[in-house]
Amino acid sequence: MRAVCVIGLGLIGGSVLRAASAAGRPAWGSTKSEADADAARADGFEALEIDEALSRAAAEDALIVLATPVTAVRGVLRKIAEHAPDAWLTDVVSVKDPVDAEVRSVLPEARYAGGHPMAGLSSSGWEAGSAELFRGAAWAVTIEEDTSLEAWREAAQLALDCGAQVVPTSAAAHDSAVARISHLPHVFAAVLAAVGADGGPLSLSLAAGSFRDGTRVAGSSPDLVRAMTEGNRSALLDAVDDALGRLGAARGSLASTGGLKSTVDSGYAARRSLEALATTPRTTTTVRLDGNAPERLRELGDLGGRVVALTQDTAQLELPTPS
């Protein structure tokens, strides 16, 4: 099993290090946070200085995993260029186009495929992580026309070893999707929390399940939320415009007729569709990892397909059965 070097040992990076180690991979990490490094060492993991970690990665031909905020990616890539310019490389950053552009600029010889596990908590840091964080989760692994199948397979196999299921996609499609189901909810949670607080102590004292659930991610680190949402500015603007249009329609309906039927009914139907997806029967298909694989894998990812197993030459996917 290929060794893994994780750069960044917060919630996600720390969980990757734990899960990769639990899967039997040699694994070590590095972080700028002394608190996270000390906590990782106290739990029996190797947390090295970054030059030592990357030199070891080069010597062992390890898969390097970037687990930093997007704002720190370029600096880490420059470090990797010093020690392992043709490294196996993936990341767990929440936006993909900006990271892909940085890799192409700073580390063009890297064997890279981008990644993003769709799992997390509102808490952060090493102590919040767990080897089970990714169990059953979707983990996007990007595959462009020029992505080497070997690099994609390495990134996808790490995700599978961490207990996740792989969603093959392009960087642009990923960023558009997560703007709607991850980044917009962070913006809405911040707005909802602020509106609730503006109601004063009475409002907050009456806050119950719907308010707590709707504002949960507003408790995330503001710096991390800003890096995530601002890093996906273009796609997030499209999602915000869509949401504002729907809010405007809801306000217009409420002001003119006093009703919110269209808004509530469409939201109810959308939520039911999400819940139904979890219980929809799934079919299995196999894709050969040849020259046609990138397009085929992206097509199946767009249909909700997830890679659940890999061989040297094939990827096995499960897809929702059309109704």
Side-chain angles (χ1 to χ4, degrees), residues 157-315:
Q157 188 60 61
L158 173 65
L160 294 175
D161 288 348
C162 288
Q165 298 176 340
V166 172
V167 178
T169 185
S170 68
H174 165 275
D175 288 358
S176 178
V178 298
R180 292 175 176 272
I181 55 83
S182 177
H183 301 166
L184 183 63
H186 276 277
V187 174
F188 269 18
V191 171
L192 181 59
V195 169
D198 283 348
L202 175 61
S203 291
L204 295 182
S205 70
L206 293 173
S210 60
F211 185 79
R212 293 181 185 278
D213 291 346
T215 60
R216 179 184 62 82
V217 295
S220 303
S221 163
D223 288 341
L224 293 178
V225 172
R226 286 188 56 216
M228 173 176 62
T229 53
E230 293 170 4
N232 200 21
R233 177 173 175 264
S234 179
L236 182 55
L237 279 170
D238 287 342
V240 169
D241 285 344
D242 189 353
L244 289 176
R246 293 173 183 272
L247 282 173
R251 189 196 185 284
S253 178
L254 188 62
S256 62
T257 69
L260 286 173
K261 178 175 173 53
S262 178
T263 298
V264 173
D265 286 356
S266 63
Y268 177 79
R271 175 66 190 193
R272 290 296 298 270
S273 295
L274 174 64
E275 293 168 352
L277 187 62
T279 57
T280 297
R282 302 180 77 84
T283 58
T284 301
T285 189
T286 299
V287 174
R288 289 196 60 80
L289 298 181
D290 56 22
N292 297 319
E295 182 178 3
R296 182 59 176 153
L297 287 168
R298 288 195 303 269
E299 288 176 352
L300 295 175
D302 286 346
L303 294 173
R306 294 186 178 188
V307 177
V308 295
L310 288 168
T311 70
Q312 191 64 35
D313 302 313
T314 64

Side-chain angles (χ1 to χ4, degrees), residues 70-91:
V70 65
T71 50
V73 164
R74 188 173 185 85
V76 175
L77 290 178
R78 285 175 172 163
K79 275 289 187 180
I80 296 172
E82 295 176 16
H83 297 278
D86 63 346
W88 298 103
L89 180 67
T90 189
D91 71 278

Side-chain angles (χ1 to χ4, degrees), residues 50-75:
I50 191 166
D51 290 313
E52 182 181 0
L54 293 175
S55 294
R56 181 174 170 184
E60 298 191 24
D61 199 26
L63 173 63
I64 298 174
V65 182
L66 294 177
T68 67
V70 65
T71 50
V73 164
R74 188 173 185 85

Side-chain angles (χ1 to χ4, degrees), residues 87-108:
W88 298 103
L89 180 67
T90 189
D91 71 278
V92 289
V93 181
S94 62
V95 289
K96 299 275 63 76
D97 256 342
V99 177
D100 184 79
E102 293 284 27
V103 172
R104 291 173 187 272
S105 171
V106 179
L107 213 62

Side-chain angles (χ1 to χ4, degrees), residues 20-36:
S21 181
R25 290 182 182 243
W28 60 93
S30 180
T31 177
K32 292 178 66 175
S33 167
E34 285 299 323
D36 285 340

